[in-house]
C-alpha cells in the first residue's frame, strides 16, 4: 500500500481529479454534512470512514450514503490496514470493535420502517432522546430551528406522545437509541 495524496478537505480531493482505490475519510463527529462528504468522496473512490460512531447518523446511514468500510477512530493499526486491503479489492469492512453495534442497527432496521417515521425524523428523535435542545439539534443537522420544531411536532403526532420524556421512552422502545451497557467487574 502507498499513500498517493493527503488533503484537508473533500473539495481539495476533487481538485486533484483522480480516482482512488480507497479514500480514508476521518470524521471526528458525524452529522448530515459528514454524510454529504461521504457521498461526494464515493464518486472518486470507495470511502473508508473513521469516526467515534456515537449518536446519529448511524453506521447504517453512513453505509447507505456510500461508505465501503467503517472503522473506529480507536481501531488497531492492523484493522485499518485490513480495512484498506479489503476495500481496495472490492469488499466491505466493519471494524471488529463495531460489529455488535452494526448488528443492533441491522436488527432495529425493520422497526424503523414500521414506526412510520422518516429518516430525518428518526435522526431528530435520536438527538431529542440524547438530551439535546432543538437549537442544538438544528446546528448538528444543519437545519433551521423551525424545521427541527416541525420534525418534533410530526414525531409527537406519529408516536402519539406529548412531551420529551415520552419521546425518549418511545425512542428506546423502538430501538432508535442504543442503550449504554454498564460493565461491572466480577466480585
Amino acid at each position: 500500500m502507498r499513500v498517493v495524496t493527503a488533503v484537508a478537505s473533500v473539495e481539495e480531493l476533487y481538485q486533484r481529479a483522480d480516482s482512488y482505490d480507497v479514500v480514508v475519510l476521518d470524521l471526528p463527529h458525524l452529522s448530515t454534512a459528514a454524510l454529504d462528504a461521504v457521498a461526494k468522496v464515493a464518486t472518486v473512490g470507495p470511502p473508508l470512514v473513521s469516526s467515534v460512531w456515537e449518536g446519529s447518523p448511524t453506521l447504517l446511514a453512513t453505509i447507505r450514503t456510500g461508505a465501503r468500510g467503517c472503522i473506529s477512530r480507536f481501531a488497531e493499526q492492523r484493522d485499518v490496514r485490513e480495512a484498506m486491503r479489503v476495500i481496495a479489492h472490492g469488499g466491505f469492512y466493519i471494524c471488529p470493535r463495531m460489529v455488535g453495534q452494526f448488528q443492533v442497527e441491522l436488527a432495529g432496521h425493520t422497526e424503523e420502517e414500521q414506526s412510520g417515521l422518516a429518516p430525518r425524523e428518526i435522526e431528530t428523535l435520536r438527538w431529542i432522546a440524547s438530551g439535546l435542545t432543538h437549537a442544538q439539534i438544528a446546528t448538528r443537522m444543519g437545519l433551521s430551528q423551525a424545521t427541527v420544531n416541525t420534525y418534533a411536532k410530526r414525531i409527537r403526532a406519529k408516536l402519539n406522545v406529548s412531551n420529551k420524556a415520552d419521546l425518549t421512552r418511545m425512542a428506546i422502545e423502538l430501538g432508535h437509541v442504543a442503550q449504554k451497557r454498564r460493565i461491572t467487574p466480577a466480585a
Side-chain angles (χ1 to χ4, degrees), residues 122-136:
I122 292 169
E123 184 177 357
T124 302
L125 177 61
R126 286 182 175 137
W127 287 123
I128 290 169
S130 70
L132 296 180
T133 66
H134 289 193
Q136 291 169 325

Side-chain angles (χ1 to χ4, degrees), residues 85 115 187:
R85 187 190 65 72
S115 71

Side-chain angles (χ1 to χ4, degrees), residues 101-186:
Q101 178 180 346
F102 186 59
Q103 290 172 326
V104 167
E105 287 181 26
L106 284 175
H109 179 63
T110 55
E111 292 175 18
E112 287 180 3
E113 292 173 358
Q114 294 173 1
S115 71
L117 298 177
R120 298 289 269 178
E121 291 170 340
I122 292 169
E123 184 177 357
T124 302
L125 177 61
R126 286 182 175 137
W127 287 123
I128 290 169
S130 70
L132 296 180
T133 66
H134 289 193
Q136 291 169 325
I137 295 168
T139 300
R140 294 217 178 178
M141 292 178 68
L143 303 170
S144 71
Q145 189 170 340
T147 301
V148 173
N149 292 341
T150 300
Y151 284 165
K153 184 178 179 179
R154 286 184 195 159
I155 295 165
R156 284 193 303 273
K158 288 180 180 181
L159 299 179
N160 196 26
V161 297
S162 60
N163 59 47
K164 283 189 177 187
D166 287 338
L167 281 174
T168 301
R169 180 183 51 79
M170 287 300 293
I172 292 167
E173 286 178 14
L174 292 169
H176 298 311
V177 176
Q179 293 188 12
K180 297 188 184 202
R181 290 183 220 148
R182 180 175 238 180
I183 299 173
T184 54

Side-chain angles (χ1 to χ4, degrees), residues 1 3 10 15 19-20 24 26 35 42 46 52-53 58 70-71 75 89 93 101 109 129 132 142 161 170 178:
M1 278 185 254
V3 175
V10 173
Q15 290 173 356
S19 64
Y20 303 95
V24 179
D26 183 35
L35 288 183
V52 292
W53 305 103
T58 62
C70 299
I71 57 173
H89 287 97
Y93 188 88
Q101 178 180 346
H109 179 63
L132 296 180
V161 297
M170 287 300 293

Side-chain angles (χ1 to χ4, degrees), residues 70-72 75-76 78-80 82-83 93-103:
C70 299
I71 57 173
S72 165
E76 300 292 330
R78 70 177 177 272
D79 293 329
V80 177
E82 178 66 9
Y93 188 88
I94 292 287
C95 179
R97 291 175 174 248
M98 298 164 26
V99 169
Q101 178 180 346
F102 186 59
Q103 290 172 326

Side-chain angles (χ1 to χ4, degrees), residues 4-107:
V4 293
T5 191
V7 297
S9 69
V10 173
E11 288 73 26
E12 190 178 337
L13 184 68
Y14 277 115
Q15 290 173 356
R16 301 198 185 260
D18 292 324
S19 64
Y20 303 95
D21 295 328
V22 178
V23 179
V24 179
L25 190 58
D26 183 35
L27 300 170
H29 302 285
L30 287 174
S31 65
T32 303
L35 288 183
D36 292 341
V38 172
K40 287 178 186 176
V41 165
T43 64
V44 295
L48 170 59
V49 180
S50 170
S51 190
V52 292
W53 305 103
E54 294 175 351
S56 184
T58 62
L59 282 163
L60 203 49
T62 307
I63 292 163
R64 285 184 182 143
T65 304
R68 293 299 304 265
C70 299
I71 57 173
S72 165
R73 291 190 94 202
F74 310 106
E76 300 292 330
Q77 285 184 358
R78 70 177 177 272
D79 293 329
V80 177
R81 283 192 304 270
E82 178 66 9
M84 291 190 300
R85 187 190 65 72
V86 167
I87 293 168
H89 287 97
F92 176 81
Y93 188 88
I94 292 287
C95 179
R97 291 175 174 248
M98 298 164 26
V99 169
Q101 178 180 346
F102 186 59
Q103 290 172 326
V104 167
E105 287 181 26
L106 284 175

